[in-house]
Amino acid sequence: FEQGARSCYIRPMPLILGAFTVTFLARELDGMLRGLEARSVYISDDRVVSISLRAGGGRRSVLRFLHAPGFALVCVDGRTDNETRLTHLPRFENLIRGSIVTAVEQVDLDRVVTVNLESPRGEARRLHFELNPSFPNLFLTDAEGVVRALLLKAGTHTRSRRIDVGKHYVTQPAPPRTHPFEVTGDLLGTLARRGNPEALSEAVAGVGPFLSREIAHRARACGSLGEAFADIMGAYRRGSVSPCTFAVGRQAPGRPPTIGIAWYTPRQDGVEEVKSAETLNDAALDILRNLTASLAFDRRRQQVKKTLERELRRLRKIEAETRDAAGERDAAERCRRCAEAIMANLGSIRKGDTEVSLPDLHTGGRARMRIELRPDLTPQRNAEAYFKRARKSARRAELAQEKLETARRRLADLEAIAGELDGLTDARRLTEIEEKVLFARAGGRRQEPPADEKAMRLGIKPRRYELAGGWVVLVGRSAKENDILTHRYASPGDFWFHARQAQGAHVVLRREKGKPPPPRHILLEAAAIAAYYSKARTSANVPVSYTEKRYVKKVRKGPPGTAAMLREKVVFVDPKLPGA
């Protein structure tokens, strides 16, 4: 969410929601939902169940239940615009669709909210929202308390109880404690003598640890635990509510606080960021929206972290594989010296020789070289073969060195930002890191734009490159995609490229209708891409054939990816991608 001018979020921590707060929240929900008709049920990736309800006059509301680790929260939201992005739950919906809400109640001063429903057939149903942070559950029972469906379950199977479809619902057993309206002065005196600020939560029903500490804090101010307890219970009996949200428990730098909702304004030490609300439902809804935003942020951050870790592993592997680029340079140098020695001694070598010993020209003839020959080639052809191997080895060494330097540079950049992700809270900075990671993952190039509508209709997703002047180059990824790209996707006026006498991808330079032919530098760039995506990638000065697509024909009964070209033109280029 936006706070001021900068994007931020609340990192998920356990939620404080006391039983007395649930009392007033249930009363508010009863007034908001009574008489509404249940329509549809959805669940989102944030583990929020949304039950859409509407009244006869068209008034709509959504009952939302947050079921996330450490959190359990129920509230009513007047906005329904997010439902299209949720997952539909038809099985659960069929059990409650058309039912009318007759009441919303709290169960036995516990953190359990029950929504009573009456089906179109007059049958009674109850939706149970158990809001215990450790064991949040949502299930449906009939009038006799038999469980009809379990929608979300975290604590249905524990040591003390078991909730199953077809079995009677049993609430979570609680230790024997005194009802708050039956607390005596003697009990309060005994608890005061213990000196434990959470003693009330161990002896009085409905009083949680946070409320117990709040009463103990107020007791220190007025000098009497009994007076402080009576003051809180008097406000509870009268329904004197001052809803707010707050944060508490920031004990170390960088540690996010626990958040909470209260029906009173807390005064105890450590409470901060107290924010008043009109109603408890508004407070709960504010917490829910902030939490779902933070959960979405966390999912996105974890995804970026995983992608970053994969990219770091890939770059480290490239670094290890290309570190010995000097070996290719040595091989290129030896092949060149062998070729030069053969050319200098053509008269002493005969066709059919498999090995010769010749003076090394680079040592002035003082050292000799043992050179292997192909017996089916003439001496001059053997020299040409060595020259060709030298060029290829030199090219591989050059590419390996470039790859090594690029990998090291990107590795340094990504390692510098890897440590930021764990404690990152700024959404804009996460976006910057995400772009850097995706840029590195794309090999230093921006991600390819998505395929256009025609390509999607044909079921292909060719590689896409944008050149200067708005020219677009498409590259097939497989033989089947090459076939579709050339013979079904490309227009007659497009230009078609293929590496000559080498296996490779079909490359199409798009040309809009009425647009003049591409200039020569664009043709050369497209040809360089075709050379790059061919078996001649490691060679230099690769011949590439091109023509307009209207002169490219499909070979009859030929395998996918075959084509015959008319009016062929040839250019010689070095394999290269745009921007490389």
Side-chain angles (χ1 to χ4, degrees), residues 520-558:
R520 181 169 177 78
H521 70 90
I522 295 297
L523 292 172
L524 293 177
E525 282 193 69
I529 295 173
Y532 184 86
Y533 286 106
S534 74
K535 294 292 186 180
R537 178 187 294 191
T538 59
S539 302
N541 212 27
V542 177
V544 176
S545 302
Y546 75 95
T547 188
E548 288 188 48
K549 161 53 185 63
R550 69 180 82 250
Y551 303 120
V552 180
K553 307 299 180 185
K554 185 175 177 64
V555 177
R556 189 174 178 219
K557 295 184 180 181

Side-chain angles (χ1 to χ4, degrees), residues 129-168:
F129 297 87
E130 294 192 339
L131 306 180
N132 188 323
S134 302
F135 305 108
N137 299 307
L138 171 57
F139 50 91
L140 181 73
T141 64
D142 58 19
E144 288 73 33
V146 177
V147 179
R148 295 290 304 275
L150 288 167
L151 182 56
L152 292 175
K153 52 185 179 179
T156 56
H157 292 53
T158 63
R159 294 179 181 178
S160 54
R161 69 167 181 172
R162 186 181 183 92
I163 300 177
D164 284 314
V165 175
K167 304 293 184 181
H168 278 83

